[in-house]
Amino acid sequence: MSKGKKIAVLGAGESGVGAAILAKKEGWEVFVSDRSEITEANKKVLYKHNIEWEEGGHTVAKILSADEVVKSPGIPDHVTLVQQLLAQGTNVISEIELAGRYTNAQMICITGSNGKTTTTLLLHHLLKRAGLNVGLAGNVGHSLARQVAEEQYDYYVVELSSFQLDGMYNFKANIAILLNITPDHLDRYEYKMENYIHSKFRITQNQEEGDAFIYFKDDENIAQTLEKINIKAVQYPYSLKEHVQQGAYIKGKELLININDTFDMSIHDLALQGKHNIANSMAAGIAARVLELRKEIIRESLSDFQNIEHRLEFVAKVHGIEFINDSKATNVNSTWYALENMTKPVIWIVGGVDKGNDYSLLTDLVKDRVKAIVCLGTDNSKIHDAFEGVVETVVDAATATEAVGMGYQLARKGEAVLLSPACASFDLFENYEDRGQQFKAAVKAL
């Protein structure tokens, strides 16, 4: 079907290179184009697979002549080249959509504004512990397309961003998990919340009656949308507030999952603590029960899972002051969870590339828990406007080292310095990992 057909891949990161490898294997004539420089490691992979590539710009005519185009999730639809492709009727898809065509593996897919990576890794941990032949893909792990090309997994646990979902049309999640929907990336959605919500619900598209849809019942955006649309899959809600017939809920200090029969365990035994993490554990637990994993395996896995780097990660205690790295908190809601989790007075390091943030959502928590604010970004005016008058001390830092130093000076024994930026990192850092690593290095240098 693909032999002799041309496919162009825009972007040569993890997903782009994976898409190129799979397309080549399936007989496409492949051309990879990246506006920026391609890493040496990825160039070697492209050479190895005899895939044509370019960097530092696009040969537009060659891309426009492709039968289909795979676009990196980081490239917005409004860029001129993408608009030209769409105007001439060329299919522009995500790497996930391409991968789905060439595998019959079961897809367990997770999306949401917050908690995606944690829940994806937890669910992968559960399935692996149960002895299933399972891959980890999407926003975490390796490219799904590359794994489809090179591995033979029976199941994939896939973390999906709204950007990846936007490029998916025929792909189907056998189990779809929607964790929450709070304002994020609104700059990519015409600053319209309804557009972003619609994007998240694409995870349910193509689901059939034998599939499963797991969702957080307490989320207003999810609940309101479910009143307006028809979901064919079997629905499994979970709630921190109320009893549910088929799904998961909290009763006293017990987590209960009602699917076939009842699974229960103490919330104190969960490896992941805090309300948001209990919710993440419920979502993963439901998926495990839908897959009929043994209760003992689920209980062990939920109690011994180790969370990811850069997400409420304890770094060190220096002269009685705790330093916590939550660099992965790139939106206001993630930071809300972090502050809600804190039990001691906080020096809060915040800032970066603002994505249309509404900081008023944090005002009450900041009043209650934050002693001082250190702004770490090139433009901190919006943070100053939001919190001057709420917090006595709001200062600016230009580097991670400076921010850590200021935090250390402002904190006292028994308090905590929390990096939870609520913003993207691209003004001062390569990505949130780089920001977190620089923060940790600065703490260790104190």
Side-chain angles (χ1 to χ4, degrees):
M1 187 178 81
S2 312
K3 198 155 182 67
K5 283 195 167 184
K6 294 189 285 186
I7 196 166
V9 178
L10 299 181
E14 176 74 25
S15 69
V17 170
I21 290 168
L22 177 59
K24 182 82 174 181
K25 183 187 175 189
E26 296 297 333
W28 291 86
E29 188 182 312
V30 185
F31 176 58
V32 176
S33 178
D34 199 310
R35 193 180 64 177
S36 305
E37 283 188 21
I38 301 174
T39 65
E40 288 304 315
N42 282 348
K43 283 179 188 175
K44 281 181 187 172
V45 174
L46 294 169
Y47 277 130
K48 178 186 168 187
H49 290 271
N50 198 25
I51 293 166
E52 187 184 354
W53 56 268
E54 67 177 352
E55 63 181 348
H58 299 304
T59 304
V60 173
K62 189 160 186 172
I63 293 163
L64 291 175
S65 72
D67 296 290
E68 193 161 40
V69 172
V70 176
K71 174 177 77 69
S72 160
I75 301 170
D77 283 345
H78 62 69
V79 301
T80 304
L81 180 54
V82 176
Q83 286 298 308
Q84 286 176 283
L85 288 161
L86 295 172
Q88 70 178 21
T90 303
N91 276 347
V92 180
I93 63 170
S94 68
E95 166 249 342
I96 303 288
E97 174 76 4
L98 181 75
R101 293 177 187 170
Y102 299 109
T103 177
N104 292 316
Q106 291 273 303
M107 295 290 173
I108 302 133
C109 301
I110 296 106
T111 196
S113 303
N114 299 291
K116 291 188 295 297
T117 304
T118 298
T119 309
T120 302
L121 290 171
L122 174 57
L123 197 40
H124 180 256
H125 174 65
L126 272 158
L127 270 61
K128 208 166 178 191
R129 173 71 73 84
L132 299 182
N133 180 29
V134 58
L136 176 70
N139 258 8
V140 64
H142 295 297
S143 149
L144 178 62
R146 186 164 184 176
Q147 290 182 71
V148 168
E150 298 178 344
E151 309 282 354
Q152 293 293 322
Y153 290 118
D154 300 318
Y155 299 85
Y156 286 100
V157 181
V158 189
E159 178 189 337
L160 294 174
S161 70
S162 56
F163 303 159
Q164 287 164 315
L165 288 162
D166 289 338
M168 286 162 45
Y169 301 95
N170 297 311
F171 179 93
K172 185 183 90 161
N174 302 96
I175 298 176
I177 301 176
L178 180 51
L179 301 171
N180 44 61
I181 306 177
T182 57
D184 194 15
H185 303 299
L186 293 188
D187 51 332
R188 283 277 288 262
Y189 294 97
E190 300 173 3
Y191 293 94
K192 291 178 182 173
M193 188 64 183
E194 61 269 28
N195 293 352
Y196 179 58
I197 292 169
H198 174 74
S199 178
K200 286 298 187 190
F201 265 90
R202 287 175 72 92
I203 198 166
T204 64
Q205 70 185 3
N206 305 315
Q207 282 201 301
E208 298 162 322
E209 290 175 4
D211 300 319
F213 174 50
I214 299 165
Y215 67 92
F216 188 34
K217 195 172 191 287
D218 303 347
D219 187 287
E220 285 183 20
N221 288 314
I222 296 174
Q224 288 168 11
T225 305
L226 282 173
E227 289 174 6
K228 303 171 196 168
I229 64 172
N230 177 39
I231 303 284
K232 289 183 182 174
V234 180
Q235 295 185 35
Y236 298 99
Y238 59 98
S239 173
L240 295 169
K241 298 176 180 175
E242 57 186 271
H243 176 274
V244 298
Q245 285 298 111
Q246 183 174 248
Y249 64 100
I250 301 297
K251 185 177 180 181
K253 299 296 180 185
E254 294 289 305
L255 184 162
L256 289 98
I257 302 175
N258 277 342
I259 296 172
N260 301 323
D261 55 6
T262 302
F263 166 89
D264 64 277
M265 71 181 286
S266 168
I267 60 172
H268 298 301
D269 292 336
L270 295 171
L272 298 171
Q273 291 294 312
K275 286 179 187 172
H276 61 295
N277 274 326
I278 292 171
N280 294 338
S281 296
M282 291 163 98
I286 292 171
R289 290 299 290 149
V290 168
L291 291 166
E292 300 183 344
L293 302 193
R294 285 172 40 233
K295 292 180 184 177
E296 301 78 46
I297 295 288
I298 299 172
R299 192 171 282 108
E300 287 169 13
S301 301
L302 292 180
S303 62
D304 69 5
F305 174 70
Q306 293 189 324
N307 202 1
I308 51 172
E309 191 179 16
H310 308 301
R311 191 72 184 105
L312 287 172
E313 175 193 7
F314 174 79
V315 179
K317 190 179 267 194
V318 182
H319 296 127
I321 300 165
E322 273 188 27
F323 287 82
I324 296 163
N325 168 27
D326 194 44
S327 182
K328 199 172 189 304
T330 58
N331 60 51
V332 165
N333 209 255
S334 281
T335 293
W336 187 94
Y337 285 127
L339 290 171
E340 195 253 351
N341 215 46
M342 300 302 292
T343 54
K344 17 181 105 168
V346 174
I347 312 302
W348 175 31
I349 301 175
V350 55
V353 179
D354 187 292
K355 298 183 286 187
N357 286 351
D358 177 5
Y359 292 108
S360 66
L361 299 168
L362 300 173
T363 304
D364 290 343
L365 267 174
V366 169
K367 261 184 200 166
D368 187 44
R369 307 193 179 190
V370 174
K371 174 183 165 184
I373 291 173
V374 179
C375 301
L376 180 58
T378 54
D379 179 7
N380 302 316
S381 55
K382 203 168 162 186
I383 299 167
H384 279 272
D385 291 345
F387 298 112
E388 279 176 353
V390 177
V391 173
E392 193 174 319
T393 305
V394 183
V395 295
D396 295 284
T399 65
T401 301
E402 193 179 355
V404 166
M406 287 178 171
Y408 181 56
Q409 292 300 320
L410 289 164
R412 297 290 174 264
K413 187 175 180 179
E415 297 177 346
V417 177
L418 168 70
L419 169 68
S420 189
C423 297
S425 54
F426 308 122
D427 55 346
L428 295 174
F429 307 95
E430 284 182 28
N431 46 42
Y432 77 80
E433 292 99 334
D434 177 41
R435 177 168 61 191
Q437 295 295 358
Q438 288 196 37
F439 173 79
K440 292 198 288 184
V443 171
K444 283 164 187 173
L446 284 173

